[in-house]
CSV table of all heavy atoms in Angstrom, one decimal:
chain,number,residue,atom,x,y,z
B,113,PRO,N,-14.9,-60.3,-35.3
B,113,PRO,CA,-15.0,-61.2,-36.5
B,113,PRO,C,-16.4,-61.7,-36.6
B,113,PRO,O,-17.1,-62.1,-35.7
B,113,PRO,CB,-13.9,-62.2,-36.2
B,113,PRO,CG,-13.8,-62.2,-34.7
B,113,PRO,CD,-14.1,-60.8,-34.2
B,115,GLY,N,-17.2,-64.7,-38.0
B,115,GLY,CA,-17.3,-66.2,-37.8
B,115,GLY,C,-17.0,-66.5,-36.4
B,115,GLY,O,-16.9,-67.7,-36.1
B,116,GLY,N,-16.9,-65.6,-35.5
B,116,GLY,CA,-16.6,-65.9,-34.1
B,116,GLY,C,-15.1,-65.9,-33.9
B,116,GLY,O,-14.3,-65.9,-34.8
B,117,GLY,N,-14.7,-65.9,-32.6
B,117,GLY,CA,-13.3,-65.8,-32.2
B,117,GLY,C,-12.9,-64.7,-31.5
B,117,GLY,O,-13.7,-63.9,-31.0
B,118,ARG,N,-11.7,-64.4,-31.4
B,118,ARG,CA,-11.2,-63.3,-30.6
B,118,ARG,C,-11.3,-62.0,-31.4
B,118,ARG,O,-11.0,-61.9,-32.6
B,118,ARG,CB,-9.7,-63.4,-30.3
B,118,ARG,CG,-9.1,-62.4,-29.3
B,118,ARG,CD,-7.7,-62.8,-28.8
B,118,ARG,NE,-6.8,-62.5,-30.0
B,118,ARG,CZ,-5.5,-62.7,-29.8
B,118,ARG,NH1,-5.0,-63.0,-28.7
B,118,ARG,NH2,-4.7,-62.5,-30.9
B,315,ASP,N,-7.2,-60.0,-34.5
B,315,ASP,CA,-8.3,-61.0,-34.2
B,315,ASP,C,-7.7,-62.4,-34.4
B,315,ASP,O,-6.6,-62.6,-35.0
B,315,ASP,CB,-9.4,-60.8,-35.1
B,315,ASP,CG,-9.0,-60.7,-36.6
B,315,ASP,OD1,-7.8,-60.8,-36.8
B,315,ASP,OD2,-9.9,-60.5,-37.5
B,316,ALA,N,-8.4,-63.4,-34.0
B,316,ALA,CA,-7.9,-64.8,-34.1
B,316,ALA,C,-9.2,-65.7,-34.4
B,316,ALA,O,-10.2,-65.4,-34.0
B,316,ALA,CB,-7.2,-65.3,-32.9
B,317,ARG,N,-8.9,-66.8,-35.1
B,317,ARG,CA,-10.0,-67.7,-35.4
B,317,ARG,C,-10.5,-68.4,-34.1
B,317,ARG,O,-9.7,-68.5,-33.1
B,317,ARG,CB,-9.6,-68.8,-36.4
B,317,ARG,CG,-9.3,-68.3,-37.8
B,317,ARG,CD,-8.8,-69.3,-38.7
B,317,ARG,NE,-7.6,-69.9,-38.2
B,317,ARG,CZ,-7.0,-71.0,-38.8
B,317,ARG,NH1,-7.6,-71.6,-39.8
B,317,ARG,NH2,-5.9,-71.4,-38.2
B,318,ALA,N,-11.7,-69.0,-34.2
B,318,ALA,CA,-12.3,-69.7,-33.0
B,318,ALA,C,-11.4,-70.9,-32.7
B,318,ALA,O,-10.8,-71.5,-33.7
B,318,ALA,CB,-13.6,-70.0,-33.3
B,319,PRO,N,-11.2,-71.4,-31.6
B,319,PRO,CA,-10.3,-72.6,-31.2
B,319,PRO,C,-11.0,-73.9,-31.9
B,319,PRO,O,-12.2,-74.0,-32.2
B,319,PRO,CB,-10.4,-72.7,-29.8
B,319,PRO,CG,-11.7,-71.9,-29.3
B,319,PRO,CD,-11.8,-70.9,-30.3
B,320,ARG,N,-10.1,-74.9,-32.1
B,320,ARG,CA,-10.4,-76.1,-32.8
B,320,ARG,C,-11.4,-76.9,-32.0
B,320,ARG,O,-11.3,-77.0,-30.7
B,320,ARG,CB,-9.1,-76.8,-33.0
B,320,ARG,CG,-9.3,-78.2,-33.7
B,320,ARG,CD,-7.9,-78.7,-34.1
B,320,ARG,NE,-7.1,-78.9,-32.9
B,320,ARG,CZ,-5.9,-79.5,-32.9
B,320,ARG,NH1,-5.4,-80.0,-34.1
B,320,ARG,NH2,-5.2,-79.6,-31.8
B,382,GLU,N,-1.5,-73.6,-31.7
B,382,GLU,CA,-2.3,-72.6,-32.4
B,382,GLU,C,-2.0,-71.2,-31.6
B,382,GLU,O,-1.9,-70.2,-32.3
B,382,GLU,CB,-3.8,-72.9,-32.4
B,382,GLU,CG,-4.6,-71.8,-33.1
B,382,GLU,CD,-6.1,-72.2,-33.0
B,382,GLU,OE1,-6.4,-73.3,-32.5
B,382,GLU,OE2,-6.8,-71.4,-33.6
B,385,GLN,N,1.4,-69.6,-32.4
B,385,GLN,CA,1.5,-69.1,-33.7
B,385,GLN,C,0.6,-67.9,-33.9
B,385,GLN,O,0.6,-67.3,-34.9
B,385,GLN,CB,1.0,-70.2,-34.8
B,385,GLN,CG,1.9,-71.4,-34.9
B,385,GLN,CD,1.3,-72.5,-35.8
B,385,GLN,OE1,0.1,-72.4,-36.2
B,385,GLN,NE2,2.1,-73.4,-36.2
B,386,THR,N,-0.2,-67.5,-32.8
B,386,THR,CA,-1.0,-66.3,-32.9
B,386,THR,C,-0.2,-65.1,-32.3
B,386,THR,O,0.4,-65.2,-31.3
B,386,THR,CB,-2.3,-66.4,-32.2
B,386,THR,OG1,-3.0,-67.7,-32.6
B,386,THR,CG2,-3.2,-65.3,-32.1
Side-chain angles (χ1 to χ4, degrees):
R118 188 175 70 177
D315 56 356
R317 296 177 299 173
R320 181 170 59 172
E382 184 178 357
Q385 295 175 347
T386 301

